[in-house]
Amino acid sequence: MPDLLADKKDREFKLIDRILSGHNEGFYELIAPYQRRVYMTAFDILQVEADAEEVAQEAFLKAFRNLRSFRREAQFSTWLLRITVNEARMRLRQRREISFDAVFPTKEEADFTPIFLADWREIPVEAVLREETRRLLCESIAALPEHYREIITLRDVNGLNNAETAEILGLSLGNAKVRLLRARIMLRDLFVERLHDRRRHRLSREVAP
Amino acid sequence: MKFDCKHIWRELSNYLDGEVPPEVRRDIEAHVAQCRHCAALLDSTHNVIVLIADERRLELPVGFSARLRERLERELATSKPD
């Protein structure tokens, strides 16, 4: 497995050398495996398809223009996603006149208590199959504060490891883990709330004449 | 060391990622066996993580690759990486 990864890295670095020596068309091959990931990352942060597509295009363009400054200590994909996250953040900032970042300080060390509900034990896994559950989950992700949505997107949606995620977000590994913990618990809280609201809603409809 | 609920919350994410030392893992599992709240917290958080990983079924918008290529072609035809 590590050999496969090393091979891939090696192939990518060779391809990058070729592009830098003037074979621009190699860039399509370089980015082909990452189109989806870049788009999904932008979408999860922005929650609007058209914006996500524009940001994805910008990210690829920036990656091309700045290819020479890519330091090969990291993987190309990590570098590319860092550009994507930065572009998406810029777009978010443009989109709203007031920055909410100031209102949601990222105090990672503050104490917290997860919500306790009487009957939250089951988030049934078979619910995965249901479109409604899917929708509730998307709503829950959308309801997360920006810095939590970013880390969930990278770590749990895109499946990057903690070190890559920390690097992309410019966090220490320790802070990334703490933020991830908060993000996961908040996401779970948001999802459980929505699941229960829906059940209550359904129950009241069944009881109504 | 005996773990209380706050310890569990703090270690929850690392535990689910398999990133806690074996002795901490044992303490967590011993606590969870006794504490219904923490067992629920662990289960449900795990399930949410499984669910969002599954979200990747989302498709790229129709024509995404073609539009991207079009935009890149304009750039790649006229410039070189810095």
Side-chain angles (χ1 to χ4, degrees), chain A residues 68-86:
Chain A
R68 207 172 290 282
S69 68
F70 166 54
R71 304 264 166 257
R72 300 175 190 204
E73 295 131 19
Q75 292 193 60
F76 175 72
S77 60
T78 308
W79 183 72
L80 181 61
L81 284 177
R82 191 165 55 215
I83 295 174
T84 309
V85 169
N86 285 338

Side-chain angles (χ1 to χ4, degrees), chain A residues 155 160-167 173 176-177 180, chain B residues 17 19:
Chain A
R155 179 71 183 83
L160 301 181
N161 63 35
N162 282 331
E164 288 170 315
T165 304
E167 196 185 331
L173 187 59
K177 285 183 179 180
L180 179 65
Chain B
D17 287 340
E19 288 192 359

Side-chain angles (χ1 to χ4, degrees), chain A residues 35-36 53 58 68 120, chain B residues 40 56 65 67 71 82:
Chain A
Q35 287 190 25
R36 216 179 136 77
E53 179 160 348
E58 281 303 323
R68 207 172 290 282
W120 72 357
Chain B
R56 288 306 76 190
S65 297
R67 287 189 296 274
R71 178 118 190 249
D82 293 327

Side-chain angles (χ1 to χ4, degrees), chain A residues 174-193:
Chain A
N175 277 345
K177 285 183 179 180
V178 175
R179 188 179 293 184
L180 179 65
L181 168 67
R182 301 289 149 77
R184 282 171 166 175
I185 289 186
M186 186 184 272
L187 178 63
R188 200 225 38 164
D189 285 354
L190 290 167
F191 182 62
V192 169
E193 278 174 352

Side-chain angles (χ1 to χ4, degrees), chain B residues 35-36 41 44 63-64 69 73-74:
Chain B
C35 175
R36 164 180 98 77
L41 181 66
S44 53
F64 176 90
R69 189 162 180 121
E73 261 165 12
R74 266 177 276 151

Side-chain angles (χ1 to χ4, degrees), chain A residues 28-55:
Chain A
Y28 299 118
E29 190 186 332
L30 180 67
I31 62 166
Y34 305 119
Q35 287 190 25
R36 216 179 136 77
R37 226 195 259 181
V38 164
Y39 174 78
M40 297 305 166
T41 302
F43 179 80
D44 280 331
I45 294 172
L46 295 162
Q47 301 289 313
V48 177
E49 276 191 21
D51 283 3
E53 179 160 348
E54 259 184 62
V55 159

Side-chain angles (χ1 to χ4, degrees), chain A residues 16 22 29 38 68 98 116 171 184 196 204:
Chain A
I16 290 170
E29 190 186 332
V38 164
R68 207 172 290 282
I98 310 158
F116 280 114
L171 296 170
R184 282 171 166 175
H196 282 263
S204 67

